């Protein structure tokens, strides 16, 4: 009788365990189905965001290219120092991969594109895409020209903007003043470093309103148009330089018009 009672209890517990196991397997299947659906939904969202980010990156790279710069060579400013990491490389096996690994890869890919987009945005914010004065006419373009004084052929590494004497001159992008003073044939001269290898130069000024080391914002009034140095009349000699090489400023203005059209 005692043995029979023990067998009945064991059988009852076994049947309960089988029932609980069946119920848990059903719950696991439901959870796996929900996890798969959730993963697919979020993965599709990550893919769409990646595609949108890639299109924005392409637009910004096109604007940078129109400005005469190589997007792959431009220096990207860092907002923070990278955290220290290290250790030996041990390849992960399939057993080490966590659930939703495909979604994780999509998110890693999205994060990479977002990093690139944010870096290009920081570059775009500091590109000189507007003219340095409000009202102007071009009196001499970039490139080969007849020198206005001796009439001999010469290289002109900027653009001359004709205007009214004492007309306001503005910084064409945020940056730091590297030079502010008299510079030989340029007369009263300002150079601004905008980061990413980009600098702008302003020559023949009547008056300088900034000093070396000063931080300036976009459209900060930096000087007055004049006729100092080697000049035949009131105008602004304006240069844009990338990694020490002169770039036609009109390319930057063309890129700026493209930006405003996109907006």
């Amino acid at each position: 009788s005692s043995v029979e009672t023990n067998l009945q209890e064991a059988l009852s517990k076994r049947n309960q365990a089988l029932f609980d196991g069946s119920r848990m397997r059903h719950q696991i299947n439901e959870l796996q189905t929900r996890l798969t659906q959730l993963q697919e939904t979020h993965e599709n969202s990550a893919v769409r965001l990646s595609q949108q980010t890639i299109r924005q990156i392409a637009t910004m790279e096109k604007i940078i290219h129109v400005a005469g710069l190589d997007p792959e060579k431009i220096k990207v400013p860092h907002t923070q120092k990278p955290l220290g990491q290290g250790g030996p490389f041990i390849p992960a096996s399939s057993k080490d991969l966590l659930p939703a690994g495909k979604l994780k890869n999509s998110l890693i890919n999205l994060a990479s594109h977002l990093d690139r987009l944010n870096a290009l945005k920081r570059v775009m914010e500091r590109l000189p895409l507007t003219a340095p004065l409000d009202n102007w006419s071009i009196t001499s373009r970039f490139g080969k020209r007849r020198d206005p004084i001796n009439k001999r052929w010469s290289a002109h590494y900027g653009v001359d903007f004709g205007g009214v004497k004492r007309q306001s001159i503005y910084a064409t992008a945020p940056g730091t003043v590297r030079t502010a003073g008299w510079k030989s044939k340029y007369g009263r001269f300002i150079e601004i470093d905008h980061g990413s290898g980009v600098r702008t130069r302003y020559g023949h000024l009547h008056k300088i309103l900034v000093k070396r080391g000063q931080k300036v914002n976009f459209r900060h009034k930096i000087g007055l148009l004049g006729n100092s140095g080697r000049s035949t009349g009131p105008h602004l000699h304006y240069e844009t330089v990338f990694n020490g090489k002169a770039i036609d400023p009109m390319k930057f203005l063309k890129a700026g018009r493209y930006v405003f059209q996109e907006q």
Side-chain angles (χ1 to χ4, degrees), residues 3-215:
V3 171
E4 184 178 356
T5 300
N6 290 337
L7 287 175
Q8 288 177 349
E9 289 179 357
L11 182 62
S12 176
K13 290 180 180 179
R14 187 203 67 172
N15 291 338
Q16 183 65 40
L18 289 174
F19 174 77
D20 291 341
S22 176
R23 185 179 62 183
M24 291 180 66
R25 283 192 296 273
H26 179 69
Q27 290 176 342
I28 290 172
N29 289 335
E30 286 185 343
L31 288 173
Q32 287 178 335
T33 300
R34 290 173 59 188
L35 178 61
T36 300
Q37 293 174 344
L38 186 64
Q39 177 179 344
E40 290 177 353
T41 299
H42 287 297
E43 184 182 348
N44 291 335
S45 298
V47 170
R48 287 196 300 272
L49 287 173
S50 291
Q51 292 172 344
Q52 293 174 3
T53 304
I54 290 172
R55 287 194 293 269
Q56 290 181 322
I57 289 172
T59 299
M60 289 193 176
E61 288 182 340
K62 180 178 180 180
I63 293 170
I64 293 173
H65 182 73
V66 169
L69 311 181
D70 185 345
E72 299 301 324
K73 293 182 180 180
I74 197 165
K75 300 174 185 176
V76 177
H78 297 287
T79 55
Q80 61 182 10
K81 294 182 179 179
L83 299 176
Q85 297 179 352
F89 171 73
I90 303 175
S93 66
S94 59
K95 296 180 180 180
D96 299 322
L97 298 178
L98 297 174
K102 192 174 180 182
L103 172 59
K104 182 179 179 182
N105 290 335
S106 297
L107 292 175
I108 292 174
N109 189 41
L110 173 60
S112 175
H113 291 313
L114 288 173
D115 286 343
R116 174 63 175 170
L117 178 62
N118 291 330
L120 290 174
K121 282 183 177 179
R122 294 197 297 273
V123 171
M124 289 286 295
E125 288 170 354
R126 306 184 75 83
L127 287 183
L129 301 179
T130 60
L133 61 172
D134 290 334
N135 301 303
W136 48 271
S137 62
I138 297 178
T139 57
S140 184
R141 293 186 176 273
F142 180 93
K144 187 178 179 181
R145 69 168 183 177
R146 289 279 188 181
D147 184 84
I149 295 177
N150 61 28
K151 306 304 179 183
R152 296 165 58 187
W153 285 108
S154 63
H156 189 224
Y157 293 121
V159 170
D160 289 345
F161 291 104
V164 180
K165 192 172 183 179
R166 294 187 176 88
Q167 185 176 344
S168 297
I169 304 298
Y170 303 99
T172 50
T176 303
V177 178
R178 293 302 180 193
T179 304
W182 190 272
K183 185 176 180 180
S184 185
K185 307 300 183 181
Y186 287 93
R188 294 182 182 87
F189 174 85
I190 296 172
E191 180 177 89
I192 300 177
D193 185 354
H194 304 286
S196 303
V198 179
R199 297 191 177 196
T200 53
R201 296 169 178 169
Y202 312 76
H204 307 304
L205 299 175
H206 172 75
K207 187 176 182 180
I208 295 174
L209 302 178
V210 292
K211 58 184 179 180
R212 187 175 183 274
Q214 181 177 340
K215 303 288 186 181

